[in-house]
Structures are given as C-alpha cells and as structure tokens.
Amino acid sequence: MDTRTLPWPMRLQRLRDQLEQHGVHALLVPSSDPHLSEYLPPRWQARQWLCGFTGSMGTLVVARDRAALFADARYWVQAEAQLAGSGVELVRIASAASTAHLDWLVEQLPHGGVAAVDAQVLGLAAAQTLKARLAAAGIALRTAPDLLDAAWPERSALPLQPVYAHREPHATQPRSARLARVREAMAPHGATHHFVSTLDDIAWITNLRGSDVSYNPVFLAHLLISAHDATLYVGAGKVDATLAARLSADGITVAPYAGAPAALGRLARHDILLVDPRRLTYGLRSVVADGVRVIESINPSTLLKSRKSPEEAAFVREAMAEDGAAMCEFYAGFEAALARGERLTELSVDERLTAARARRKGFVGLSFSTIAAWQG
C-alpha cells in the first residue's frame, strides 16, 4: 500500500495544529452525536474522517504525537485493515463499555495537561466518569470550542430530509395521548419540564418519522415538554406548514433546532427538569441554570414504548412474516443460482436480498446493511 496518498495523516496533522493552537494535549473523539445515536449523520462521523475506520462503535483519542482507536472484537479485523497507514494504532478492548481509552489518555498526558472533547456529543454519564478520572490524574478537561470545526472545513451540514407523519393504522395512538402518558409519568417526580434528545423517543412521542440517520426512520430534533405544551426543536424547512399546523393542534410548537440549548438555559428557579443521564449530552446539561432542580431518571417514553399494545404486537408479527417471506424468496433464488453455476459475491447476495425485501408490502428500508460473507 502506498500510504503517501492517504488522507488520514494530513487530517490528523490539521487537528494537531488545532491542539497546539489551543493549548490542548489530546482530543477525545467518541462515536456519537448530540443525540447519543449509534448510527451517525455525516456531520458527526469525525472518527471515520480522521482515521478511516467505518465501524459503528469505537473511540478515537488523538494526542500531539500519538493516536489510538479503541474497538472491541467485532471490529478488530476491519480496524486493522482500515487503519493501515493512517498513523493510528488499534487498541483491542473487551467490550464497548470498556474505559481503556481513559487509561491511555492518562498515561499519555502530563500532569497539568489539558484534554478536550466536544461536550455536545459526550453523554452526561460518560462525562462524569471522564471528569473524575482526569481530575484524579491532575489533567484539565476542556469542552469548548469544538476543535474539529477548524480542522474539518468540508464538514457536512445538518441533514435536510423532510419530517413526515407516522399515520394510522400503524400509529396506534395519537400523539396527544402519548404526550399525556409522558406527563403522567413526569408527575410522580414533581417535574414541570422534561427534555428529550434521543431520536427514537422523540419519534414515538410525536408520531413523526424521518430519514436523517441511515437504517433508522428518525430525524434530528430535541423535545421540551412542560405540563401544558411542548416544543420540537428541528431543522428549518423539515416540517412543512400543514404538518406544523397539525402539531400545533396537538400542543406542539416547532422551533429552530439550534434553539434547544437556549430554551434549557431559560428555565426558571422554580422549574423542575426531568432528564435521563444516559440519554442526554454533557453540553446540554451544562446550560441548565444552577438554581433549576434537575431530576435524573430514565426517559418515561423509553419504558412506555417498550410495552407493545396488542395492535402494535400484531404489526410486529406482520413485519416479521413479510421479512420471512422475503428470506424464503431469496434462499430459493440463491440455491437456484448455485445450481446453475452462477458466480455469486457478497455484493450480489446483498442486491438479491434487498430486492426481495423491497418487493414486500409496506417496505420502507433496511434496518441495517446486509452482512454477508462468501468463501469460494
């Protein structure tokens, strides 16, 4: 491999120039976005942009003279191949829950050093662990500015795909009823407000869908719910006037996506805010005023949507039956192709299987990319 033409070393150097300029010794790059999603819109695929690793999980740490990617056993072979010539070493970890990247960070940085991370993509629970570990080692943590912006001038903008309504019969309950159920769950906590950032929760509460994230029918948004109203913070133009009017009739106001932090910052001292520490970023939690009482508990919608109604269970069974039929069609064609002596590859298997699924009633998209291996 001629590594002279690879873009990763140049990109790492551009980032290191920013580290030097801002007096930072290392940058932590988690596989995350402001909604703590597993599958990321291009704007937040910084780890992939910096080192070429395309796995869905993995943490990158870039220091001034070294860089390391921390990945579990699912990705070791893939990471070894994709990191070749990048200047990034692979550190094998036992599981995605490992904190080995913190050990590495502490070992690499001097006492009195500075580590940085974008607070807008760092989970609140992870931030608490990171802060404690760095403080014990005498290392400062800086969460602003986002050093990637200057190093990544071609960074993607926010996705522009429209939001659409999830309708009956598959929407088995109106959004007004789902909002009422969330408010009922807020009441035992005494919460006057509840802030939601996780995209699947927002889609469930609002009966809305989108295509901002590959293989997931969700859209980028934040949702602030009070006892009497709710505000959906979403990109400009993504909700058309007709849908906005329907949302308004159900007590949901549409506001600019970037306005969510300011809205949290405007909460008053008498307000009580319910948040889920595993589903909220450190950056959003940090803008809440000190006088506001914050209650940390699992998002009510996370539990509510896990309990399927008989109608929802029936739709799940219907979807599985359709997918089973698609798999049977695929296997029949696959075996016939082998009998004819046709040459098949992982790509042709993907094409055949995706086409079989796309022919089934109600098909919207795949839930993940086809995983196929062929030994010939």
Side-chain angles (χ1 to χ4, degrees):
M1 176 188 296
D2 184 358
T3 60
R4 293 174 297 179
T5 60
L6 293 177
W8 329 123
M10 178 191 67
R11 293 173 180 177
L12 286 168
Q13 186 55 53
R14 282 158 59 179
L15 177 58
R16 287 181 171 123
D17 290 343
Q18 292 300 311
L19 298 183
E20 291 274 0
Q21 182 178 331
H22 290 86
V24 172
H25 294 88
L27 178 69
L28 176 64
V29 185
S31 297
S32 185
D33 67 4
H35 309 276
L36 304 181
S37 307
E38 179 178 357
Y39 300 102
L40 309 178
R43 178 172 179 78
W44 288 287
Q45 293 177 6
R47 185 211 60 211
Q48 177 178 335
W49 181 79
L50 283 165
C51 70
F53 174 64
T54 60
S56 63
M57 297 295 291
T59 299
L60 176 67
V61 184
V62 181
R64 291 186 181 181
D65 55 356
R66 294 181 67 185
L69 174 76
F70 299 80
D72 63 53
R74 295 172 294 170
Y75 303 106
W76 289 348
V77 173
Q78 174 186 352
E80 282 184 342
Q82 293 183 328
L83 293 178
S86 68
V88 177
E89 62 187 275
L90 170 63
V91 179
R92 294 171 175 81
I93 58 176
S95 72
S98 169
T99 57
H101 59 284
L102 301 184
D103 299 332
W104 191 91
L105 193 58
V106 168
E107 290 171 1
Q108 297 301 313
L109 269 59
H111 184 85
V114 178
V117 65
D118 179 7
Q120 303 307 318
V121 301
L122 182 66
L124 179 56
Q128 293 165 346
T129 302
L130 175 62
K131 289 170 65 179
R133 187 64 193 279
L134 293 182
I139 298 170
L141 178 63
R142 188 177 301 174
T143 57
D146 181 0
L147 300 180
L148 283 164
D149 274 343
W152 191 4
E154 65 273 31
R155 190 174 191 177
S156 298
L158 294 174
L160 300 175
Q161 292 87 341
V163 173
Y164 58 93
H166 184 54
R167 301 184 183 279
E168 297 179 343
H170 297 100
T172 60
Q173 193 175 45
R175 66 178 62 92
S176 57
R178 291 188 167 177
L179 280 167
R181 293 176 68 188
V182 171
R183 289 183 175 117
E184 287 175 6
M186 291 166 55
H189 296 286
T192 61
H193 294 76
H194 174 41
F195 189 77
V196 188
S197 280
T198 35
L199 305 184
D200 55 332
D201 286 298
I202 293 172
W204 183 87
I205 295 170
T206 61
N207 277 345
L208 297 175
R209 298 293 186 267
S211 55
D212 289 351
V213 181
S214 299
Y215 310 114
N216 292 267
V218 297
F219 57 99
L220 300 187
H222 301 284
L223 181 65
L224 182 60
I225 303 171
S226 76
H228 306 291
D229 56 24
T231 304
L232 181 68
Y233 298 91
V234 64
K238 293 176 70 67
V239 176
D240 65 31
T242 300
L243 183 53
R246 291 176 182 160
L247 291 172
S248 179
D250 289 326
I252 301 176
T253 301
V254 175
Y257 178 80
L264 281 176
R266 287 194 297 268
L267 293 178
R269 288 182 174 273
H270 61 269
D271 291 325
I272 302 174
L273 175 66
L274 172 64
V275 298
D276 188 334
R278 295 191 176 276
R279 295 168 177 83
L280 182 72
T281 66
Y282 178 63
L284 286 168
R285 173 63 180 86
S286 299
V287 301
V288 179
D290 290 340
V292 175
R293 182 183 171 197
V294 177
I295 297 172
E296 296 185 359
S297 182
I298 189 170
N299 284 338
S301 51
T302 300
L303 296 177
L304 291 171
K305 68 185 177 65
S306 71
R307 299 164 184 159
K308 305 304 180 188
S309 67
E311 296 83 3
E312 289 170 326
F315 287 131
V316 172
R317 295 187 186 98
E318 180 183 328
M320 296 305 296
E322 291 290 341
D323 192 63
M327 290 294 295
C328 290
E329 177 188 337
F330 162 75
Y331 282 128
F334 178 77
E335 292 173 0
L338 290 180
R340 292 191 298 268
E342 290 186 23
R343 180 179 178 273
L344 298 175
T345 68
E346 290 94 336
L347 292 177
S348 60
V349 164
D350 177 27
E351 291 171 358
R352 287 169 176 264
L353 183 53
T354 300
R357 284 175 164 146
R359 285 190 285 270
R360 303 310 303 179
K361 182 183 69 174
F363 176 81
V364 175
L366 301 179
S367 60
F368 55 88
S369 58
T370 300
I371 301 173
W374 177 260
Q375 183 176 359

